[in-house]
Amino acid sequence: MFDTSTASAQGVDRIRRRSGTLSGEITNISTLAVTISKGGVEQKVPVEDIRTIDFAGEPEDLRPARLAANAGRYQDALDRLGAISLSDVEREAIRQDIDYLRMACQVQLALAGQGNLDQAAQEASAFLKKNRNSYRVSAALELLGNAQMARGEYDTARQEYEKLARAPSPYFQARSAILKGRLFQAQDNHAEALIEFEKALAAAQKSAAAQPEELEATLHRAVSQSATGKVEEATSTLKEIIAQAEPKETKLLARAYNALGDCYLQSGNDKAARDAFLHVDVLFSAAKTEHAKALFELSRLWRSQGQETRANDARQRLEKEYPASRWGKQ
Amino acid sequence: MSVHTGSFLQIVRVLCCALVWQTLALPLDAAEKEVDWAAQYLAGLRQRGWHDVALQYLDQAEEDPLASPEFLKRVEFEQALTRVALAKQSVSKRQRQELLDHACREFLSYAQENRNSPQEVEALSQAGNLFAQRALSSLNKADQLPPQAVNQRQALQEASRGLLEKASQALQDLRVSCATQLKAVPKAAALQKDPARRAMRSQLENRQAEAQFLLAKLKLNKARIYPPDSQPYSKTLQEAAKDFLRLYQNYEDKLIGFYGRLYEGRCYQQLGKSQEALKCFDDLVDRPISNPEFRRLVARAFRRRAEIHLAAGNFEDAIQECRQYLKESRNDELRKPEWLAVAYRLASAYEAQSQTPEVGKEAKRLRNEARKLLREIARHPGEFQQVARAALASPGGGDQKIVVKTFEDAFIAGKEALEQMNSSRLAAKLAAENNPGSVGNLQQQAKLHQSQALHYLETGMRLADEDTLLEKLLSARYYLCWLYWEEGRVHEAALIGDFLARRYPENQYARVAAKVALAAYERIYQEARGLNAEQAVYEAEQLTRIAQLIITRWPESDEAAVAMNLLLNVALRDNRIAEAETLLNRLPAANRGGAELSLGVSLWKRSLAPEGKASEEEILKLKKRAVELLSRGFESLRSQGAPSSAEVVGALYFAQALLAKGESQRAVEVLQHPQVGPLTLVRKKDATTRDPKIAVEVYKTALRAFVSVAPPQRDRAREIMQALEAAYGDSGNGGAQLTQIYLSLGVQLQRQISDLTTSGQVDKASAVAGAFEDLLERVTEQSGADKSWTIQNWIAQTNLQLGQGLRGQAAQAYFEQAEAVYRSLLAEAEEDPDFAPSKIAILAVKKRLGDTLQAQQKFADAFNQYTDILRTKPNMLELQQAAATTLQQWGRAEKDPKILENAIRGTLPQDNKKNLVWGWLRLASLADNAKRRSLQSADANSPQVKKYHDLFFSARLQVAQARFDAAQLATGSDREKQLGKARQSLTSMQRLYPELGGPHWKAAYLKLLKQIENTSS
């Protein structure tokens, strides 16, 4: 969703895709694709292939804000965005991007327990109403659904996720199924979740753009497999995911270690579970939602292992860093 | 004073100007440029000080999907490093030792696995350094021992020698490895375009130099093993001096070379060759230098020069040189350890000079100068900080306490007093052998220091404030905890120990504090139980809590095994057998022996007095498990030796269990085991069997064993009887007690015979009975035995019990013997009114004569015996039961339905129209009423209520049984009628009491009902 490259936008628009960068002039933006023209030749880039867009003439704080958001430094990103004067922004696409980034950071902070969920959900709704043709609509739908799920509004969240599947693209079908699967997981309905993840895997195989979704679906499927008793199979899948993950995929690694910790808990291996969650705490604490969960589990595991100080330390960090997260409230 | 090898290793590495080794090891390939998550994770854990978790992680590293093959290859090395770090955190000497031993083995093994590689060099360097550190630690301990501790000092020096040799071997190997690897790397000049390999070459050269230096230093330290002025001492120092000189020559104009010169001087200094030493130091002190490392070296040289001046009494020279040097030093340097050491020598010189006669009025100024310097030294960390503080605080000995105004001062004074206390204790212990006259004085000194330590540390607690360093505060608390324990102030010890363990589990003292708390809580619990076992619930909870904390927090520790054992014993005391079994399984296998014996004893006891109405099968199962545990426990005991009293009791129970199983030979072996056999220990008058009760039980068991072993060891049995008689000889009622013992032996033999019969070992049962018969004869032949009511009664009763334990003809002989003796007793009592101790005793003999007759199926005679007593004691339930049983068996034997009816409804009507013998129906009715009455004043589980409960269900069952017996004698409609009555008796009981009095009675009722149904159909 966010870009991590270092190129800067000057006089031309730049679309940073998964498979390289295109520069030129953006001539059309829709919810499904962005059209860029160079030397009179137009090229339509599907939204799922776009990592980010640097617009010609965008405010100088916008790009650092994007980078901070990509790195999970949402508060830094918001501070940068706060420095931008919207009245100076004339181009609609840029204004939309600023709106989106502000909303996305607020939702992410709220999801990590560092902000207000109600307000975040409202922001996401407002963005969607105001920017019906933005290429960020699909991402905003997912964020809105996530916020609703965190508030326990499962039905409304499902409706948002289902909207994604309406797009005529295997990528969005896979994405929608993954999100619905996670929704079922949140409701402890692992049998339904497994069905959704299987759908996601099937859809992901139809398109190269959907390949990363295959890994994510596999990861979440392992969690549900573990919950339905197939702990060994799930553990082995998760280990494979971790072993194959790129070092930069720290969020995925954090998720995978948390899932691995859950599997070990399921099989009663508390020490291995503690080590898995400890990986998230020591190595991947930038993945905030996952870090909150890891701290929660660690506080319990340390206590059960007679390590009161470590348990208290984990609990205090959880309450300090993620006061509003669902883990912090437990 | 020697420089610590560990710190020196760091210095050497600085001197060698090495680049970071890891970056030079090999040219990096693409794979290695990637993130090594496992290494980062390990580093993260170490950064948090969680070496325990790090070690656990490394043990399981293969399970971590992020652990790369490169990382997994060096796991053993990382494990060793982690163990060294853990050892530093541990305050347990033994644990520290184990960790370091393990680490050394791992470093060497890793080096072996990675021959001629940078990894080998690194591992050998670590191993050499570690061995050297441990050797130095032993040498330092030896130096601190009091002069009397000759053996201990030798042991420590011996240990140091071994460690120094190992260190030397590791460093020699390191040199060889470096040399081999260097041969494979081109000269530096040829590596201009290959910086990585050039750096690697340089690194190997540095390591070689480092090893050369450390090897020489090992020799310098090795000299400390020998007495000064001895030949090996001089020889070793001279060799070290040569090695250092070689280093000086090989690395001319390099820092490591100059250090060689410094240490060469130190060798001469120790040899007493002051001039040679000063010459070496002179080569160092005159150099104008700015490099900080060189300046440190020079400071060291000045310190050594001052030491030589002081030893020679040239105080003025020492003062001049040191004062001048410190004056010329930079301000920031004056607080560094090397300069503080020079300052300390200067203070010593002032102090020494002040005591010379020629200084006159200057003395006071000199002392003031010295104190000024000491105050400065005491403020900064360094080799002399403690000693400076002690010098400032020293009250000059005796019991005078110094005034302490800060926590810091109190802490130091407390620690000092503790050290003196330990030293005095050790000296007292040693003096017990060498100079017994001084023991009292030394013990008094130890006590005085103990009270001073307590005073200072308690004062320190009051002086502590928010600026007090937590580490020191916790150390002070632990010392107090330990002192309270020593003083017998167990509540305070428990409180502080518990607090430290619970609140600061990461602290180095947490584990030992928990151990003290555990011991203290146990003592509190035992004391509370001693006062009132029922009221010790709170104390038991406290004990359980700390034990559980230890087990959870330090599961692999020895303390956890102790705690688990304790919990197990508490569970056993509270009769929670299942929990005790679970706890036993959680104990490390090596520590299970004592617990297995305790649990085995508990199960064995339970099998002898089962709760409720356990089935025979359940009891056999219980016994089997008990014997398994006792056997395993005894095996552990055999291998570990030195048993506790409780373990001796466990072994005794094991022998008893073996006897019950008919394994008399094994029982004899257990009892007479040369190291841990209970009989052996009693004979040796071992402390564990000093309790007379234990000794008597051992004799009783041994008597049984010798009597029942095949062939019986009658001589041994006689010896034991003599021992028993001797044990009771002095006491007033010894004879009566002895008879009780023989009687209880009879009961045990009866049980043994019964067990053997039940398990089908009839031959063994007969052999035991025969052997015991011999014993009976011997007892009977004893002087006055025939005139003793007690002995005769015992003989009769034992014969009766033996007979009851056997079957058929084998039993008959014993019954006849019993009958004869009972009849003789009653006849004698008839003739001599004083023969029987009481009228009740005569009634009891009559009752047992009845039992004997009934056992021989002489029902009429038995019935007469019982009714004879009933005429005077008609309300004796036991007799009424016996009479009804006799009638029932009699009726069955004679096939007489009338007698069976009498068993049900009673017989022998008296003048009051009531039957003398009640019969089962009336017994049931009376039992039911009595139960109801008892329930008004006692609970349902009280023995009294239970007795009536069982009598009621037994009597009602016998009613149905007697009717069934009668039906079997009848024919036609009469038979059907009797069967119907029997069935009705049972079904009406079922309706009224669906549970039929519990599992035991229910099974019996249903069994009979089934028999009736089968007969009807």
Side-chain angles (χ1 to χ4, degrees), chain B residues 79-144:
Chain B
Q79 281 173 323
L81 283 180
T82 312
R83 276 185 231 283
V84 174
L86 268 176
K88 281 181 191 157
Q89 284 181 343
S90 172
V91 285
S92 155
K93 209 191 301 174
R94 197 168 65 81
Q95 194 196 26
R96 207 164 44 234
Q97 190 81 6
E98 280 172 6
L99 284 164
L100 293 177
D101 280 345
H102 202 150
C104 286
R105 283 198 302 274
E106 281 171 333
F107 281 133
L108 293 178
S109 155
Y110 183 76
Q112 186 74 23
E113 294 287 317
N114 294 276
R115 296 298 298 275
N116 295 324
S117 70
Q119 288 82 1
E120 183 192 21
V121 171
E122 186 63 24
L124 287 174
S125 169
Q126 291 285 351
N129 188 27
L130 200 52
F131 281 128
Q133 276 182 45
R134 296 173 65 194
L136 278 183
S137 168
S138 287
L139 283 172
N140 290 340
K141 273 184 211 151
D143 288 350
Q144 284 161 11

Side-chain angles (χ1 to χ4, degrees), chain A residues 64-305:
Chain A
R66 240 185 243 124
L67 289 173
N70 284 342
R73 293 181 282 107
Y74 302 115
Q75 195 52 56
D76 288 354
L78 282 175
D79 291 346
R80 283 283 187 169
L81 291 169
I84 298 172
S85 165
L86 276 178
S87 57
D88 296 340
V89 178
E90 289 175 3
R91 194 172 165 188
E92 179 62 8
I94 297 173
R95 190 198 54 73
Q96 281 184 345
D97 220 36
I98 294 169
D99 272 2
Y100 170 78
L101 278 175
R102 186 174 288 125
M103 176 277 288
C105 290
Q106 281 171 349
V107 174
Q108 295 289 13
L109 283 172
L111 288 172
Q114 295 171 335
N116 186 314
L117 264 178
D118 294 347
Q119 201 182 324
Q122 281 169 18
E123 291 275 344
S125 266
F127 175 83
L128 284 164
K129 274 182 198 152
K130 195 173 158 193
N131 303 285
R132 291 180 191 278
N133 292 319
S134 166
Y135 80 100
R136 300 283 204 176
V137 163
S138 53
L141 279 172
E142 183 172 335
L143 285 168
L144 175 59
N146 292 350
Q148 286 164 340
M149 180 167 82
R151 292 163 72 200
E153 296 168 0
Y154 299 127
D155 286 342
T156 46
R158 186 179 301 108
Q159 285 163 18
E160 300 306 332
Y161 294 152
E162 276 168 354
K163 285 178 192 167
L164 285 175
R166 288 182 208 155
S169 144
Y171 169 83
F172 284 114
Q173 278 149 18
R175 194 77 213 138
S176 170
I178 288 171
L179 293 167
K180 282 199 285 178
R182 294 199 67 192
L183 193 64
F184 282 124
Q185 282 181 333
Q187 296 168 84
D188 218 17
N189 185 349
H190 291 280
E192 289 294 333
L194 280 169
I195 296 170
E196 291 300 332
F197 296 133
E198 291 299 342
K199 277 189 208 166
L201 286 168
Q205 278 162 9
K206 292 179 191 164
S207 153
Q211 285 302 304
E213 308 316 298
E214 188 176 345
L215 198 59
E216 195 175 342
T218 310
L219 190 154
H220 296 307
R221 184 181 62 174
V223 174
S224 286
Q225 280 174 333
S226 160
T228 50
K230 292 180 182 170
V231 182
E232 272 183 39
E233 196 180 330
T235 307
S236 133
T237 306
L238 288 166
K239 282 184 177 178
E240 213 169 300
I241 290 173
I242 292 169
Q244 286 174 2
E246 291 291 324
K248 65 183 178 188
E249 291 179 300
T250 51
K251 200 167 179 179
L252 176 81
L253 283 165
R255 275 186 185 174
Y257 267 109
N258 272 352
L260 192 60
D262 285 337
C263 284
Y264 285 130
L265 283 180
Q266 197 85 14
S267 58
N269 189 347
D270 283 6
K271 274 195 181 166
R274 180 204 65 194
D275 276 352
F277 295 123
L278 205 48
H279 270 76
V280 181
D281 183 29
V282 174
L283 297 175
F284 311 120
S285 60
K288 294 187 185 303
T289 313
E290 302 304 324
H291 188 218
K293 175 186 162 59
L295 286 175
F296 171 78
E297 299 292 358
L298 282 171
S299 71
R300 291 194 313 151
L301 286 164
W302 282 130
R303 188 154 285 118
S304 74
Q305 287 162 26

